[in-house]
């Protein structure tokens, strides 16, 4: 079972590229995203979710041992290749990942200059129901009908965290937190790749 870590600035197009890459490949690859895993815990393990929810409501980070325990249980009988999306986010999590035997074989960074991240965030809209992402104002992934989700027909909205001040804060956090993660995991044996997503999206997709 090979393991891949996918990273990228919020708004760099990581999710869109991943969705396209995964088309028809569900039998070969398994995406492990913390948001999805936590949603599953909420539905299937009320006791653990109550503990996690209390931690998050107190403004604290969920301990790494809880996160890694969830991942370990989830991948217990998994035979497909794993794509980690959104974890690890910090140096401590990267070190814990190595300790638990989940160190990736490869790291793929989807890169986009900061000014384009800000621009794309201003153009992004998400479905208010299914959360599918689109771009407007001439973007590369517009909805077929303005303001309406192609998949479920719900209204498209602009997320509060796509405001410019919030985006710039996230960019600073990415610089501070993610590059040390890449360095730690590279030293542990992962091969790092960088894909420039600033030009043609199809070209980036072909390199993914």
């Amino acid at each position: 079972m090979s393991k891949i870590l996918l990273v990228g600035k919020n708004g760099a197009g990581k999710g869109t590229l991943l969705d396209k890459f995964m088309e028809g490949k569900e039998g070969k690859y398994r995406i492990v995203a913390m948001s999805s895993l936590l949603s599953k815990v909420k539905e299937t393990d009320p006791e653990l979710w109550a503990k996690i929810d209390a931690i998050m409501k107190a403004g604290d980070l969920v301990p790494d041992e809880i996160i890694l325990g969830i991942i370990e249980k989830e991948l217990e009988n998994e035979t497909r290749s794993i794509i980690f999306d959104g974890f690890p986010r910090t140096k401590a999590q990267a070190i814990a990942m190595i300790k638990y035997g989940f160190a990736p074989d490869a790291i793929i960074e989807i890169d986009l200059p900061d000014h384009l991240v800000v621009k794309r965030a201003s153009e992004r809209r998400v479905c208010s129901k299914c959360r599918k992402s689109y771009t407007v104002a001439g973007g590369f992934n517009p909805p077929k009908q303005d303001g309406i989700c192609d998949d479920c027909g719900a209204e498209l909205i602009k997320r509060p965290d796509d405001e410019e001040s919030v985006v710039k804060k996230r960019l600073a956090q990415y610089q501070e937190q993610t590059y040390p993660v890449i360095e730690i995991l590279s030293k542990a044996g992962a091969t790092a790749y960088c894909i420039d997503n600033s030009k043609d999206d199809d070209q980036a997709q072909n390199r993914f």
Side-chain angles (χ1 to χ4, degrees):
M1 179 178 67
S2 61
K3 297 178 287 295
I4 301 167
L5 171 61
L6 184 63
V7 298
K9 302 167 186 172
N10 194 305
K14 175 171 63 71
T16 300
L17 287 177
L18 182 57
D19 287 345
K20 291 184 177 180
F21 171 79
M22 284 296 294
E23 291 176 359
K25 299 184 180 71
E26 292 80 3
K28 293 183 178 180
Y29 295 91
R30 162 78 184 279
I31 299 173
V32 174
M34 281 316 304
S35 57
S36 298
L37 291 185
L38 290 177
S39 294
K40 185 175 180 180
V41 169
K42 184 177 181 179
E43 295 174 359
T44 61
D45 193 337
E47 184 177 346
L48 178 57
W49 174 250
K51 183 177 182 180
I52 292 173
D53 192 42
I55 292 171
M56 293 191 297
K57 285 180 176 177
D60 297 323
L61 294 175
V62 180
D64 295 334
E65 58 267 24
I66 292 180
I67 298 297
L68 270 299
I70 294 171
I71 293 175
E72 187 174 41
K73 181 179 179 181
E74 190 68 21
L75 300 184
E76 190 173 15
N77 298 309
E78 185 59 73
T79 59
R80 292 171 292 180
S81 294
I82 302 301
I83 300 177
F84 288 104
D85 181 13
F87 183 89
R89 293 182 182 274
T90 66
K91 291 187 290 184
Q93 289 177 348
I95 293 169
M97 196 178 199
I98 296 169
K99 179 182 177 182
Y100 274 73
F102 295 129
D105 306 295
I107 303 166
I108 300 176
E109 180 184 13
I110 308 302
D111 190 39
L112 190 70
D114 288 1
H115 73 280
L116 289 181
V117 171
V118 173
K119 179 177 182 293
R120 289 190 183 181
S122 70
E123 298 171 348
R124 180 164 53 189
R125 300 293 183 272
V126 296
C127 177
S128 56
K129 184 177 180 181
C130 72
R131 311 308 294 175
K132 183 176 180 179
S133 182
Y134 298 87
T135 54
V136 296
F140 64 82
N141 182 39
K144 294 176 181 177
Q145 182 180 349
D146 188 34
I148 301 297
C149 176
D150 294 349
D151 289 353
C152 69
E155 180 186 6
L156 302 183
I157 60 174
K158 184 175 182 178
R159 304 186 323 191
D161 58 351
D162 277 341
E163 297 297 335
E164 183 173 342
S165 60
V166 180
V167 173
K168 288 183 176 180
K169 181 178 180 179
R170 284 202 308 259
L171 288 171
Q173 291 173 337
Y174 183 85
Q175 179 75 26
E176 179 183 346
Q177 297 176 359
T178 303
Y179 288 120
V181 165
I182 294 174
E183 182 179 8
I184 289 170
L185 295 176
S186 295
K187 288 181 179 178
T191 303
Y193 303 90
C194 184
I195 296 176
D196 180 6
N197 197 26
S198 63
K199 297 179 181 178
D200 184 84
D201 188 59
D202 290 334
Q203 292 179 7
Q205 174 62 32
N206 291 334
R207 295 193 297 272
F208 188 89

